[in-house]
Amino acid sequence: MNTATGNLEDDHVHILRLIDVMEFITLNKISDVNHLEIIVDIIRNFADGLHHAKEENLFFPFLATKGFSPQEGPVAIMLNEHVQGRNFVKGISDNIILYKNGNKSASVEIYRNMNGYSDLLRNHIAKENNILFRMADNVLSESEHNQLLYRFGEFEKVHYSSSGPKDYIKMIENLVTFYEIQDQASQ
Ligand SMILES: [Fe+2]
Ligand SMILES: [Fe+2]
């Protein structure tokens, strides 16, 4: 059956592919500003603007009705990590601007924040997939999963009508292809 947690896990697959690209760029100190700006766009409008928004606006509030407090415990930790992620993205974005204005040493801060984001999100996604979402599956009925899936779908429609219909998944795959990133799951 299609589940709300499965929907969020599908997003994670794409976000992890983006993180593969970010790790490759950081490791090889690639300073293609166009690609760095595309990555910030994908994080802001897909990983955060869509995926984290579905979690924060729809999924976690529903879990709160099942006794998962947003103030403490696993949901609170997830919310806090979303904030930490935004700080790293701001660090990437601010330093891209400095770099474009001629401050070449800003690249060090771009890579530092990209690394921080990658480590944080890899860990965050593992905790959601392995712990929080499994706890959620234990308390959500099939009809509750379906309700959430419906709301996710409505949210996506509104999101893409305001941010412009970009195919973020295709944008991630284009970067993966460009940098010839291997599929880590198949290694
Ligand atoms: Fe999350
Ligand atoms: Fe997530």
Side-chain angles (χ1 to χ4, degrees):
M1 94 178 175
N2 280 337
T3 62
T5 44
N7 174 287
L8 296 170
E9 283 169 65
D10 287 345
D11 293 342
H12 287 168
V13 171
H14 302 298
I15 296 168
L16 287 170
R17 296 297 278 154
L18 178 68
I19 290 171
D20 288 343
V21 171
M22 291 172 75
E23 287 173 344
F24 184 87
I25 285 178
T26 310
L27 194 66
N28 294 287
K29 308 245 179 296
I30 293 161
S31 55
D32 181 323
V33 170
N34 181 38
H35 281 178
L36 295 173
E37 287 180 331
I38 288 171
I39 287 168
V40 170
D41 179 24
I42 296 170
I43 296 174
R44 287 205 166 133
N45 291 303
F46 178 73
D48 199 41
L50 181 70
H51 176 74
H52 290 163
K54 282 193 292 187
E55 291 177 345
E56 292 186 7
N57 301 342
L58 302 168
F59 185 63
F60 295 162
F62 201 91
L63 288 186
T65 70
K66 298 280 179 182
F68 289 76
S69 166
Q71 270 90 40
E72 57 185 5
V75 171
I77 295 168
M78 295 303 101
L79 287 168
N80 184 273
E81 290 179 353
H82 290 178
V83 174
Q84 290 176 46
R86 280 171 205 135
N87 290 334
F88 283 126
V89 180
K90 185 173 187 311
I92 300 168
S93 165
D94 287 352
N95 283 288
I96 290 174
I97 294 167
L98 293 177
Y99 185 82
K100 281 167 77 176
N101 287 337
N103 180 353
K104 295 301 166 200
S105 64
S107 62
V108 175
E109 283 300 299
I110 294 174
Y111 302 134
R112 192 181 68 77
N113 281 285
M114 295 242 293
N115 248 335
Y117 185 86
S118 301
D119 289 349
L120 176 79
L121 260 285
R122 243 185 220 296
N123 207 277
H124 179 84
I125 286 171
K127 282 186 279 194
E128 286 183 339
N129 285 356
N130 298 323
I131 304 169
L132 180 62
F133 290 2
R134 302 294 71 86
M135 291 165 82
D137 285 342
N138 284 335
V139 298
L140 293 174
S141 68
E142 188 170 348
S143 79
E144 287 168 334
H145 274 293
N146 286 334
Q147 271 181 54
L148 277 165
L149 277 173
Y150 176 77
R151 291 186 208 167
F152 288 171
E154 292 298 298
F155 184 86
E156 279 181 30
K157 277 188 223 157
V158 174
H159 176 72
Y160 283 125
S161 66
S162 64
S163 75
K166 278 195 201 171
D167 189 342
Y168 288 102
I169 292 164
K170 181 95 180 93
M171 287 161 72
I172 294 169
E173 285 314 306
N174 286 344
L175 289 169
V176 166
T177 304
F178 183 88
Y179 289 112
E180 299 179 345
I181 309 280
Q182 304 298 312
D183 186 349
Q184 300 203 349
S186 68
Q187 283 178 4

